[in-house]
Amino acid sequence: MSIDTAKKTKIIVVGGPTASGKSAFAVEIARVFDGEVIGADSMQVYRRMNIGTGKLSSEEMRGVPHKMIDIVEPVQEYSVGAYVKDAKKEIENCFLRGKLPVVAGGTGLYINALLSGYSFSSVRRDENYRNELKQRVEEFGTQNLYEELRLTDPDSAAKISPTDTKRIIRALEIFKVSGERKSEKTDVGEGEYDYLFFVPDIERAVLYKRIEDRADKMLRDGLIEEVKLLNLPRECQSMQAIGYKETASFLEGEIDLKQLAELIKINTRHYAKRQITYFKNVFPSAVWAGADEFDRVFMTIKEFLAE
């Protein structure tokens, strides 16, 4: 791959819903085009959270270097701004090594922030307001804040899970501090990358079957024991991940094993549906390609890199 610093860095992006095969898709692209994978998953950044986040094994990585995985402790908070800063550094290093950066993951907000150049870091934190909102959560539950967000910023609310306390609080904080809705501040700036975006195209029924099979496998592989060993407070950002919050409920005796498996499957299906909607709406130019269309994908990439 030739390097021309006068142009924007060319990268490949593979996004999509959980269990769609995007990780294997990205690995195959990296193998063919001498690349490295830059993760874009908000939960795979955490160390020792392996089973529930679906991290690839070393065998599944097939010798391809993977970055932005296992970079912070589970007790730490990790923001979109931190991700963009760290991912840009990894992309630059990859580029300087003469490798093709392949950004891959299912966290659409991370990918959008990286590609479009926007950041919420300029909106200051208001600790007093944050504490007030956290107190409301303790007294009335997260749904109370979510309903307020739906009134003040319905577009942001539509993209945030009703149980994602951290992102709900931040969206409300942005509105209070800046007077602007978070959804209105997400399309600013100019990205510094020339990118080609792929999304694995998979039938919904097949995707849901994979999700169910993956949930069962996670439990067989020791998800419950993994959560026990983490021994984290339930309010930790990392414990909001699907699989972990449900397992925490199981360990507290709130649900039984059958309910645990079913909840993980239901919540993952709902999340996958939101991911599909997000990628279709935010990245309308993305190329949706099936697992049997690698020849078309590779030809498209060759043409893109030759431009």
Side-chain angles (χ1 to χ4, degrees), residues 35 137 210 216:
V137 170
R210 285 189 183 180
D216 290 334

Side-chain angles (χ1 to χ4, degrees), residues 24-37:
F25 200 111
V27 166
E28 191 63 23
I29 291 172
R31 289 182 69 248
V32 172
F33 292 95
D34 191 22
E36 298 180 356
V37 173

Side-chain angles (χ1 to χ4, degrees), residues 238-252:
S238 60
M239 287 297 291
Q240 305 311 305
I242 296 174
Y244 292 90
K245 58 185 178 182
E246 295 86 356
T247 302
S249 295
F250 167 76
L251 292 173
E252 291 291 331

Side-chain angles (χ1 to χ4, degrees), residues 110-127:
Y110 277 16
I111 296 174
N112 195 16
L114 179 66
L115 298 182
S116 62
Y118 72 76
S119 173
F120 302 118
S121 59
S122 60
V123 180
R124 65 175 177 82
R125 291 165 62 102
D126 185 329
E127 294 299 338

Side-chain angles (χ1 to χ4, degrees), residues 51-198:
I51 298 172
T53 63
K55 292 175 186 173
L56 295 184
S57 65
S58 57
E59 292 78 13
E60 291 170 323
M61 290 181 181
R62 302 176 68 186
V64 173
H66 280 62
K67 310 297 182 180
M68 297 302 294
I69 296 174
D70 295 332
I71 60 173
V72 294
E73 290 297 319
V75 294
Q76 295 177 259
E77 290 196 357
Y78 194 70
S79 67
V80 178
Y83 170 78
V84 171
K85 179 182 177 181
D86 292 341
K88 282 184 176 180
K89 188 179 300 182
E90 291 293 355
I91 290 172
E92 180 183 0
N93 290 338
C94 177
F95 181 68
L96 291 174
R97 287 192 291 269
K99 304 291 185 178
L100 175 66
V102 182
V103 175
T107 304
L109 188 63
Y110 277 16
I111 296 174
N112 195 16
L114 179 66
L115 298 182
S116 62
Y118 72 76
S119 173
F120 302 118
S121 59
S122 60
V123 180
R124 65 175 177 82
R125 291 165 62 102
D126 185 329
E127 294 299 338
N128 290 333
Y129 184 58
R130 279 174 169 254
N131 291 334
E132 176 187 324
L133 295 179
K134 289 176 181 178
Q135 182 63 38
R136 282 174 54 187
V137 170
E138 292 181 8
E139 293 180 8
F140 307 111
T142 303
Q143 187 65 32
N144 177 269
L145 294 191
Y146 186 71
E147 291 302 324
E148 179 176 336
L149 182 61
R150 287 180 63 184
L151 292 174
T152 59
D153 188 354
D155 289 338
S156 287
K159 298 175 184 178
I160 299 176
S161 168
T163 61
D164 193 338
T165 306
K166 180 176 181 293
R167 289 180 62 196
I168 293 171
I169 287 177
R170 181 55 175 158
L172 289 170
E173 179 184 46
I174 288 172
F175 182 71
K176 180 179 184 297
V177 172
S178 70
E180 298 179 71
R181 296 179 178 86
K182 179 174 180 286
S183 57
E184 296 173 346
K185 296 177 70 65
T186 59
D187 193 21
V188 297
E190 181 182 352
E192 58 190 82
Y193 302 113
D194 185 8
Y195 64 88
L196 185 59
F197 202 124
F198 293 98

Side-chain angles (χ1 to χ4, degrees), residues 224-236:
I224 294 173
E225 188 60 29
E226 181 171 89
V227 176
K228 283 182 181 178
L229 290 174
L230 287 169
N231 192 29
L232 294 170
R234 292 176 68 170
E235 62 269 17
C236 275

